[in-house]
Amino acid sequence: MTRAISGEELAAGLEQRIPGSIIGTSKESILVNNQSLLSLAAHLKTEPGLEFDFLSSITAVDYYDYFEVIYQLTSLEHNHSIVLKVRCHDRENPAIPSLVGLWRGAELQEQEIFDLMGIRFEGHPNMKRIVLWEGFQGHPQRRDFLSW
Amino acid sequence: MVMKTEPLVLNIGPAHPSTHGVFRMRATLDGEVIIDVEPIFGYLHRGIEKLAEERTYQQFIPLTDRLDYVSAMGNNMAYCMAVEKLAAIPVPERAEYIRVIMAELQRIASHLIAVGSFLNDCGAFMTPILYMVREREKIVDLFEMVSGQRLTYNYMRFGGLSQDVPDEFLPALRKFIDQMPRYLDEYDQLLKENEILLARTKGVGILSKETAINCSMTGPMLRGSGVPWDLRKADPYSVYSRFEFDIPCGARGDSYDRYRVRVEEMRQSVRIIRQAMEQLPVGPVRSKTPVMLIRPPAGEVYSHVESPKGELGFYLVSDGSIAPYRCHIRGPSFINLTALREMIVGWKVADAIVIFGSIDIVMGEVDR
Amino acid sequence: MDLVPTRRFVYSDADLDQHEGEVIEALKARSQQPIPDQDQWLSEKAPEAGILLTSVDKVIDWARSNALWSVVCFPACCAFEFISTAASRFDISRFGMEIIRASPRQADLMITAGTLTWKMAPNVRRIYDQMAEPKYVIAMGACGISGGIFQSSYGVVPGYSRIVPVDVYVPGCPPRPEALLYGIRMLQDKISKAKVFRK
Ligand code: SF4
């Protein structure tokens, strides 16, 4: 059984290593500061005992006030998982650091989020529309996009 | 001497017989060797995730059929499990067993198509597909018995199934399960040591273990590279922990290994179905909770299953209303294409088609 | 000997994508109304023709309707029902059309098995344009007829008749292979009524 590491448990240790990186925690997730996302993710990936080597899925949710990007991390070696969350309050020009350097699996998913949700991932090698065509107006996955 | 050659851009797809639907690659060739490839998606982007927000939870079940349309039962199951987790709906024992039987039958059907079209791409045009469809039709008949449909079943509901299996289903299933290993042996006889197949696939399109993990590959792709990661064992859902089965793994991660993993998985599925039939309890197939217009409590859930292509995940956010606030689908075929460039670059065009066939994608799930 | 290919293209990838987007938008603007079905002539009374012309008509129609070669157009789920129809059990070759051509120039029937999106629409139109006359289209499945279950989506064309003229509609989601075979039979009937020298 994959063990879901509790956010609070993990956050205590992380806060010491990278101060100011954690904004909030819940039972199964940690909410991370935008600026320290990269360093925190690198830490999660390499720290012995954690070794989250597998990025299952990335999602973005539009909550009107802010966008939330959700990373599902798993460790194939230790068989445990954690959920990372990042928030982005700028609606006009949302941007978040890209994790492609750490997990290549993020590449297509981040591109898809850029296309459908309009969040720019900084540092992504190929940030352009992927499923819709160039010239499509709007980002359909946003809540205020009306499909018809 | 440094020889400069002029590269050429070759567009493969979107209407191409071996791109499994409407996939498109923009390949840059040097002579016949591919030096760069860029996958282009979106020719089947139907906006399923957006449509989910306009429908009630239950109305979305038929749309999940059309995600990975070769394994509709598996998708039904994954989505229902996600909603059950969100709304804490119990599932009766018998329903769980029938779900497992359906999911494994569907895995066989999906792998049959995968292997068939892979061999098709290797150049044995149409013949393997005819064999594989022969067996698939038997499975489709079984599904038709329980749900009345041949491709899009819409069979599962929150808290169980839409109806119990009819009386004639179990004998028919037993008959099929007894036949299937024979067919698999027949394929092995024809293919396992086939000179041409070995020459075309051994060592072609190698995907190393590290790349596979780093690129979030799942399913037979990951196992073909030698990582024994199967959610049915690693994170057992439903009643999978009660069955005995192995996880077939490849050694080198080439196209041949991936093909072998699929064939072996079919054998394991037969094993699981046999055990499930023996243990199948009697009882209701649907819990008493009313599910027509459920309003799950506000919250979010990520639930994943091992679909034939890999890890199929549903991420649902509820705001307490009758429709999902957000529904994200982690399509395994989509993410398995991340490593396409690593696998294809350096090979000739004809090999690229074989490698692409060994990934086994379904466009409905790639573009959603 | 090193091979150092240089990439010097007239158009960059970005240009190509841009152009594709423009083509799609233009087609979308042009196809807001469905193309009317071209079958008024079925109910019209044909002008009298001599014995010779009638026999020639018969021969040509017989030849056309019994060797329909279909082009590959498999965007989505219905494709699997089409493959089932073509494969061992339902065996489409009984109707003289087991050959599914990848090249539109060798085909005269397009069975549109699946959902059409606006991004794919220019390609389908191009395939249709490349087919040699006389050419026929069977719209297979609810998606092919009206967009079906995906009609309200932002990316889906509501029916193939926006893009290409359709001869026979086969309903179902997906249609059973029997239904598709029935549709093919109907198309053959329709072809055999055509008067080649009508005008
Ligand atoms: S009609 Fe149904 S089965 Fe056919 S392509 Fe549309 S959704 Fe898929």
Side-chain angles (χ1 to χ4, degrees):
Chain A
M1 203 74 188
T2 305
R3 190 169 66 93
I5 296 184
S6 107
E8 287 118 7
E9 187 187 307
L10 189 64
L14 288 175
E15 190 59 48
Q16 288 172 2
R17 296 293 295 267
I18 310 163
S21 59
I22 313 256
I23 303 177
T25 56
S26 80
K27 207 153 163 345
E28 59 270 343
S29 66
I30 44 181
L31 182 60
V32 182
N33 188 348
N34 261 355
Q35 278 78 40
S36 35
L37 174 67
L38 264 181
S39 51
L40 191 120
H43 176 77
L44 285 179
K45 190 182 171 191
T46 48
E47 175 75 7
L50 295 176
E51 281 165 326
F52 289 99
D53 47 3
F54 189 82
L55 173 67
S56 304
S57 148
I58 308 181
T59 323
V61 185
D62 177 9
Y63 287 108
Y64 290 108
D65 296 342
Y66 55 86
F67 294 109
E68 193 166 79
V69 180
I70 297 129
Y71 301 86
Q72 313 273 349
L73 294 175
T74 313
S75 164
L76 299 195
E77 196 175 322
H78 306 291
N79 201 359
H80 55 215
S81 66
I82 186 71
V83 181
L84 283 192
K85 291 185 177 175
V86 183
R87 280 187 189 164
C88 181
H89 289 270
D90 184 358
R91 210 175 165 79
E92 296 305 308
N93 251 323
I96 278 176
S98 159
L99 292 188
V100 173
L102 290 168
W103 293 283
R104 271 283 315 281
E107 185 181 334
L108 295 178
Q109 305 185 57
E110 285 183 349
Q111 221 176 328
E112 194 194 4
I113 291 173
F114 168 70
D115 188 351
L116 299 179
M117 198 64 96
I119 302 174
R120 179 170 290 281
F121 287 86
E122 273 153 6
H124 188 286
N126 191 15
M127 198 84 278
K128 63 175 190 183
R129 283 203 180 256
I130 174 170
V131 291
L132 292 165
W133 56 91
E134 296 292 332
F136 186 89
Q137 294 300 320
H139 300 284
Q141 218 101 82
R142 292 194 178 180
R143 290 291 294 190
D144 50 10
F145 181 95
L146 299 177
S147 54
W148 55 316
Chain B
M1 178 186 119
V2 175
M3 194 165 128
K4 288 201 166 99
T5 49
E6 190 70 17
L8 170 90
V9 176
L10 179 70
N11 222 340
I12 308 178
H16 187 279
S18 26
T19 53
H20 298 209
V22 286
F23 183 69
R24 176 175 164 207
M25 296 186 258
R26 197 188 277 146
T28 312
L29 309 182
D30 176 20
E32 214 190 329
V33 179
I34 295 183
I35 54 173
D36 188 18
V37 64
E38 186 195 3
I40 301 178
F41 306 89
Y43 293 94
L44 193 56
H45 178 68
R46 304 185 276 195
I48 290 186
E49 290 174 10
K50 184 75 182 176
L51 291 177
E53 296 169 9
E54 299 166 357
R55 281 164 169 69
T56 67
Y57 283 90
Q58 178 131 347
Q59 279 174 339
F60 185 61
I61 299 178
L63 282 170
T64 62
D65 285 329
R66 285 142 183 95
L67 277 173
D68 175 357
Y69 35 81
V70 193
S71 91
M73 285 283 187
N75 303 345
N76 277 184
M77 182 170 171
Y79 176 65
C80 288
M81 276 174 51
V83 177
E84 279 152 12
K85 201 165 155 190
L86 191 63
I89 302 172
V91 184
E93 192 93 320
R94 184 177 170 86
E96 291 277 24
Y97 273 93
I98 295 177
R99 278 185 183 188
V100 167
I101 291 177
M102 295 302 162
E104 292 306 315
L105 275 177
Q106 188 72 79
R107 190 182 312 275
I108 298 176
S110 169
H111 282 342
L112 280 173
I113 291 289
V115 172
S117 48
F118 168 61
L119 296 169
N120 220 353
D121 292 344
C122 287
F125 192 60
M126 270 326 251
T127 318
I129 270 278
L130 291 183
Y131 277 92
M132 307 292 170
V133 168
R134 179 185 68 184
E135 270 72 80
R136 182 174 174 271
E137 285 290 336
K138 298 198 169 88
I139 300 176
V140 169
D141 276 353
L142 290 173
F143 286 154
E144 199 181 341
M145 233 180 244
V146 299
S147 69
Q149 253 284 15
R150 281 174 49 88
L151 191 73
T152 48
Y153 310 112
N154 189 12
Y155 180 52
M156 297 182 191
R157 296 288 183 279
F158 311 136
L161 311 165
S162 68
Q163 64 211 11
D164 203 347
V165 294
D167 294 338
E168 61 271 23
F169 175 77
L170 285 174
L173 178 64
R174 162 127 3 238
K175 192 166 155 227
F176 171 75
I177 287 301
D178 290 341
Q179 283 174 348
M180 195 59 206
R182 269 218 323 275
Y183 290 128
L184 289 171
D185 290 341
E186 189 186 341
Y187 301 150
D188 277 357
Q189 218 173 4
L190 290 170
L191 300 167
K192 195 172 176 184
E193 270 139 35
N194 185 317
E195 202 69 30
I196 305 173
L197 184 68
L198 288 179
R200 286 299 303 275
T201 58
K202 269 248 149 141
V204 174
I206 292 181
L207 178 70
S208 71
K209 214 171 175 168
E210 292 71 35
T211 323
I213 294 177
N214 197 17
C215 290
S216 302
M217 312 293 264
T218 43
M221 296 292 291
L222 185 63
R223 293 194 281 276
S225 298
V227 186
W229 179 259
D230 187 324
L231 289 176
R232 292 174 293 171
K233 280 260 198 235
D235 188 12
Y237 51 91
S238 196
V239 288
Y240 273 108
S241 50
R242 302 182 195 172
F243 306 124
E244 246 177 59
F245 59 96
D246 305 327
I247 307 177
C249 267
R252 300 175 53 190
D254 53 10
S255 305
Y256 183 74
D257 278 350
R258 294 195 272 275
Y259 147 72
R260 285 310 304 166
V261 166
R262 293 206 172 93
V263 175
E264 292 306 322
E265 272 186 17
M266 287 194 249
R267 283 188 209 282
Q268 299 304 328
S269 294
V270 171
R271 249 177 97 186
I272 296 176
I273 297 173
R274 195 164 273 147
Q275 294 171 42
M277 280 172 71
E278 272 158 20
Q279 302 175 13
L280 184 66
V282 288
V285 293
R286 205 158 161 182
S287 63
K288 291 276 181 301
T289 329
V291 292
M292 269 311 261
L293 271 183
I294 45 167
R295 292 167 192 270
E300 53 199 50
V301 71
Y302 178 76
S303 146
H304 52 194
V305 304
E306 183 77 25
S307 93
K309 313 277 186 303
E311 174 182 344
L312 173 66
F314 277 85
Y315 184 83
L316 291 174
V317 181
S318 160
D319 59 350
S321 71
I322 54 171
Y325 184 80
R326 172 88 168 90
C327 166
H328 174 79
I329 302 152
R330 183 212 189 270
S333 321
F334 176 57
I335 296 166
N336 282 355
L337 284 170
T338 312
L340 185 72
R341 189 175 283 127
E342 269 86 350
M343 284 190 282
I344 282 189
V345 165
W347 293 96
K348 302 228 167 78
V349 179
D351 295 320
I353 299 292
V354 173
I355 297 168
F356 184 72
S358 76
I359 304 179
D360 177 30
I361 60 160
V362 166
M363 285 321 282
E365 196 175 61
V366 174
D367 293 335
R368 296 184 300 263
Chain C
M1 182 176 72
D2 290 354
L3 292 177
V4 188
T6 45
R7 283 197 64 166
R8 269 188 295 107
F9 300 124
V10 184
Y11 301 107
S12 68
D13 289 355
D15 289 340
L16 292 174
D17 288 343
Q18 193 75 37
H19 177 69
E20 190 187 3
E22 281 161 18
V23 170
I24 294 167
E25 288 292 345
L27 184 74
K28 195 171 169 181
R30 253 188 290 128
S31 338
Q32 285 310 314
Q33 289 305 318
I35 301 171
D37 299 339
Q38 315 280 331
D39 48 10
Q40 326 74 313
W41 59 268
L42 272 174
S43 49
E44 268 168 27
K45 199 152 161 41
E48 287 295 313
I51 285 185
L52 179 68
L53 282 190
T54 319
S55 331
V56 172
D57 268 358
K58 272 226 171 83
V59 172
I60 291 179
D61 287 341
W62 173 81
R64 278 182 183 171
S65 64
N66 283 304
L68 289 169
W69 287 9
S70 149
V71 71
V72 171
C73 174
F74 293 167
C77 351
C78 279
F80 273 87
E81 283 307 64
F82 183 57
I83 291 171
S84 300
T85 317
S88 17
R89 188 174 186 185
F90 294 95
D91 196 10
I92 207 171
S93 58
R94 291 175 292 161
F95 305 97
M97 47 180 299
E98 76 269 36
I99 308 178
I100 299 159
R101 303 310 301 194
S103 160
R105 296 182 201 282
Q106 299 161 353
D108 36 25
L109 170 63
M110 182 152 103
I111 296 183
T112 62
T115 323
L116 183 65
T117 57
W118 284 114
K119 195 169 179 181
M120 185 66 190
N123 300 302
V124 167
R125 178 72 214 189
R126 189 185 310 168
I127 292 174
Y128 179 79
D129 287 343
Q130 285 175 348
M131 281 159 60
E133 290 277 357
K135 49 193 173 189
Y136 310 96
V137 178
I138 293 182
M140 178 179 179
C143 287
I145 296 172
S146 66
I149 191 168
F150 298 106
Q151 196 181 30
S152 62
S153 170
Y154 48 84
V156 172
V157 182
Y160 275 82
S161 58
R162 299 286 175 107
I163 307 294
V164 293
V166 177
D167 289 287
V168 174
Y169 296 87
V170 182
C173 184
R176 295 181 59 88
E178 293 92 330
L180 181 60
L181 290 176
Y182 181 64
I184 292 169
R185 290 288 303 144
M186 271 177 72
L187 179 67
Q188 289 182 335
D189 277 354
K190 185 174 175 181
I191 295 172
S192 61
K193 287 200 185 106
K195 300 280 178 284
V196 184
F197 298 109
R198 195 151 48 93
K199 289 267 157 67

